[in-house]
Amino acid sequence: DDAVAGRSGQTYTCALRSNGRVSCWDGWGFDDQGRPFGPEDVPGVDDATGLWLSHDGICVTRKERELWCVDHEGWTDERRPVDFSPRPIDVGQVREVVTGLGRTCALRSEGTVSCWSTDRSGPEPVRTAPRKVSGLEDIDHLIGSSTHMCARSGTRWWCWGDPEAFDPDPTL
């Protein structure tokens, strides 16, 4: 009853609580009474100010607007996360985050955008280093889907789809 924000992704539903903690429920399994497993607190996070969920990961901004993310690596037989420890993402201070299938972009405080991808083809997820998206300045909003990302500056939009190229096309 102390949630201030909630988000749902494909794998999780999470709540940002008034005390800065983040609690999540697993969307893949249910107990013997039909309730989803959880809630499970994200360890080490007691100062979250923002919450974003991706296809299978969780990102939070912390008090200094730094971004920390957890890549979902599966669940143990006891229905506990294999590794639920958030790791810092080196993008500076963040205003908002958008996520897609295997990619994430952050709107930085100064109005630029940095993106990275996560390769899940191997036994463990491998995250690329965040890269600044060239040609995007004074951005005020991001939106994303599983296949595309878009950035807005005023009334102008740029969109891109290739998670490796991060090459926006001024389409609108």
Side-chain angles (χ1 to χ4, degrees), residues 107-134:
L107 173 55
R108 300 174 59 168
S109 293
E110 72 274 4
T112 61
V113 176
S114 291
C115 298
W116 60 96
S117 61
T118 304
D119 179 4
R120 300 190 181 288
S121 61
E124 293 186 19
V126 177
R127 184 184 302 137
T128 63
R131 288 194 336 224
K132 182 178 175 186
V133 180
S134 63

Side-chain angles (χ1 to χ4, degrees), residues 13-14 31 37 51 59 70 81 90 101 115-116 131 135 140 156-157:
T13 297
C14 297
D31 66 17
F37 288 108
L51 171 65
C59 291
V70 174
D90 188 18
L101 188 58
C115 298
W116 60 96
R131 288 194 336 224
D140 53 47
R156 186 143 187 208
W157 287 88

Side-chain angles (χ1 to χ4, degrees), residues 3 17 19 26 31 51 81 84 88 106 114 133 139 149:
R17 297 169 49 194
N19 62 4
D26 169 23
D31 66 17
L51 171 65
F84 216 41
S114 291
V133 180
I139 299 303
M149 301 292 183

Side-chain angles (χ1 to χ4, degrees), residues 37-161:
F37 288 108
E40 187 79 35
D41 283 351
V42 176
V45 175
D46 59 6
D47 60 351
T49 59
L51 171 65
W52 294 271
L53 273 66
S54 66
H55 175 72
D56 54 2
I58 301 164
C59 291
V60 297
T61 47
R62 299 184 89 165
K63 286 216 188 270
E64 298 300 319
R65 310 227 23 101
E66 295 172 335
L67 187 65
W68 290 63
C69 294
V70 174
D71 288 322
H72 181 269
E73 297 180 21
W75 296 84
T76 67
D77 290 340
E78 295 82 33
R79 304 303 304 159
R80 295 184 60 79
V82 170
D83 182 0
F84 216 41
S85 303
R87 294 169 180 84
I89 307 295
D90 188 18
V91 292
Q93 293 186 328
V94 171
R95 281 195 267 168
E96 68 184 338
V97 176
V98 294
T99 59
L101 188 58
R103 69 180 120 191
T104 305
C105 294
L107 173 55
R108 300 174 59 168
S109 293
E110 72 274 4
T112 61
V113 176
S114 291
C115 298
W116 60 96
S117 61
T118 304
D119 179 4
R120 300 190 181 288
S121 61
E124 293 186 19
V126 177
R127 184 184 302 137
T128 63
R131 288 194 336 224
K132 182 178 175 186
V133 180
S134 63
L136 295 182
E137 304 290 333
D138 301 318
I139 299 303
D140 53 47
H141 185 59
L142 293 177
I143 59 173
S145 71
S146 61
T147 59
H148 289 82
M149 301 292 183
C150 294
R152 180 187 74 197
S153 177
T155 60
R156 186 143 187 208
W157 287 88
W158 291 264
C159 296
W160 61 100

Side-chain angles (χ1 to χ4, degrees), residues 13-36:
T13 297
C14 297
L16 173 60
R17 297 169 49 194
S18 60
N19 62 4
R21 293 190 177 282
V22 173
S23 299
C24 298
W25 291 259
D26 169 23
W28 293 112
F30 299 91
D31 66 17
D32 58 2
Q33 297 187 0
R35 295 178 300 233

